[in-house]
Amino acid sequence: PEGLFLAILYYLGVRRGEALGLKWGDFDFTVDQVHIQRDIDFTGSTAADGTLKTEAADRFVPIPEDLKAMLLPKRESADAYVFHTPSGAPLPQASYKRMWSRLMLECGCVEWRELKPGTSRPDDILKQVKPTLTPHYFRHNYVTLLYESGIDPLVAMKIVGHTDYQTTANIYTHLKEDTLRRASVNMEKVFADREKVRERGDREERAASYLSHRPSGIGSVPCPAGYTLYEARAPFRVVAGTQRCRMGVRAFFIAIQSTVYKGLHRVTV
């Protein structure tokens, strides 16, 4: 289940070796937690259980419902690796790299390599593509999700297995700075939108002033120079709520249609 590898990285925020080292017995679906307790070390063409990066890496991580729904149908015996060779051994490095290249190819996250004449095994995916993402990207994304969800950095430190609080705090600080930079950009839009609202209000005020001093029968009087179609319609939008309550939407617009459009036929647009 190669796609499950991406799901585990995304929903658990584990390191590559931790994901490859998972066994089905590590998952406790009664409390929705997984025990991260081993790593996979690559030695030449073989793979074997290794020690975790740090003592803090031995931890329990919550299992989200979406991931649980993916895992349960694939479950095997407790001592089986989630990702393994046909013989049941953990994936060796070459097999892992090919799996990752296939996944990234499906996601469109690869660069195509230029094959030189005489290249051996040109059909090998490792010779054809170079992934542009690494598994660590998903770990960083996981910490970002914790930050955006308001998870305390001390709690986040335990979940992701950081030894030093400062490591988690530095990531949180970096994310906070990015958020503030985005907010600064968004504030430009806020003030730009505010200016548009103010200008629209000025246009509607001018239009209302004109109509309040117009001779009776707007249909017989052209709008003064400089008024746009939008401005001349403004007063009708302002009073539409009251009028619609009295007459109903359809009746209201039927009533003003002939008067308004006759009166606007000479308006500069």
Side-chain angles (χ1 to χ4, degrees):
E2 294 186 345
L4 199 58
F5 187 71
L6 280 183
I8 284 177
L9 293 178
Y10 178 79
Y11 284 109
L12 300 181
V14 294
R15 300 175 177 91
R16 178 200 66 183
E18 294 170 348
L20 293 174
L22 286 172
K23 292 185 177 181
W24 287 106
D26 298 330
F27 293 90
D28 186 343
F29 293 110
T30 60
V31 294
D32 293 336
Q33 285 186 338
V34 57
H35 186 189
I36 308 301
Q37 55 182 325
R38 76 184 61 79
D39 197 348
I40 292 296
D41 290 339
F42 294 131
T43 305
S45 60
T46 62
D49 287 355
T51 57
L52 292 168
K53 184 177 180 180
T54 63
E55 290 185 7
D58 190 324
R59 64 199 188 278
F60 291 88
V61 178
I63 305 173
E65 279 297 321
D66 287 345
L67 179 61
K68 182 178 179 179
M70 299 178 199
L71 291 169
L72 287 176
K74 306 291 186 182
R75 188 164 44 170
E76 301 178 30
S77 61
D79 61 345
Y81 289 98
V82 178
F83 307 101
H84 57 74
T85 64
S87 65
L91 290 180
Q93 187 171 26
S95 297
Y96 156 72
K97 285 184 175 180
R98 289 187 176 89
M99 177 182 72
W100 186 253
S101 294
R102 286 190 294 269
L103 288 170
M104 293 298 98
L105 179 60
E106 288 294 322
C107 296
C109 299
V110 297
E111 294 176 352
W112 289 90
R113 300 180 187 272
E114 183 179 351
L115 293 178
K116 297 180 180 180
T119 300
S120 61
R121 295 185 299 171
D123 294 334
D124 188 343
I125 193 169
L126 296 180
K127 301 291 182 67
Q128 296 176 339
V129 301
K130 177 184 178 182
T132 56
L133 292 182
T134 68
H136 195 74
Y137 168 87
F138 292 88
R139 182 168 168 80
H140 184 79
N141 180 73
Y142 184 82
V143 178
T144 302
L145 294 176
L146 295 180
Y147 168 78
E148 291 178 345
S149 299
I151 303 298
D152 186 275
L154 282 173
V155 176
M157 179 187 75
K158 298 295 185 182
I159 293 175
V160 298
H162 287 156
T163 301
D164 183 12
Y165 168 78
Q166 196 60 44
T167 302
T168 310
N170 287 343
I171 297 174
Y172 266 44
T173 300
H174 174 72
L175 293 171
K176 184 177 181 180
E177 291 172 352
D178 283 348
T179 301
L180 289 174
R181 280 195 291 270
R182 288 196 299 271
S184 177
V185 173
N186 291 338
M187 287 306 294
E188 295 299 325
K189 183 177 183 299
V190 167
F191 285 107
D193 290 345
R194 177 61 182 168
E195 184 64 20
K196 291 178 183 177
V197 170
R198 186 189 65 77
E199 292 175 355
R200 184 173 61 197
D202 290 345
R203 288 197 300 267
E204 292 183 354
E205 184 178 351
R206 289 172 57 202
S209 175
Y210 158 67
L211 290 178
S212 66
H213 295 87
R214 74 189 189 285
S216 59
I218 184 174
S220 61
V221 180
C223 291
Y227 273 81
T228 65
L229 180 63
Y230 180 88
E231 291 170 325
R233 285 177 176 169
F236 293 96
R237 288 195 302 276
V238 174
V239 301
T242 302
Q243 296 298 329
R244 282 197 295 269
C245 290
R246 295 175 183 170
M247 307 172 60
V249 175
R250 182 174 178 79
F252 170 71
F253 281 104
I254 290 176
I256 69 170
Q257 184 178 14
S258 59
T259 302
V260 173
Y261 285 96
K262 286 178 183 177
L264 297 178
H265 72 283
R266 298 185 204 174
V267 173
T268 300
V269 179

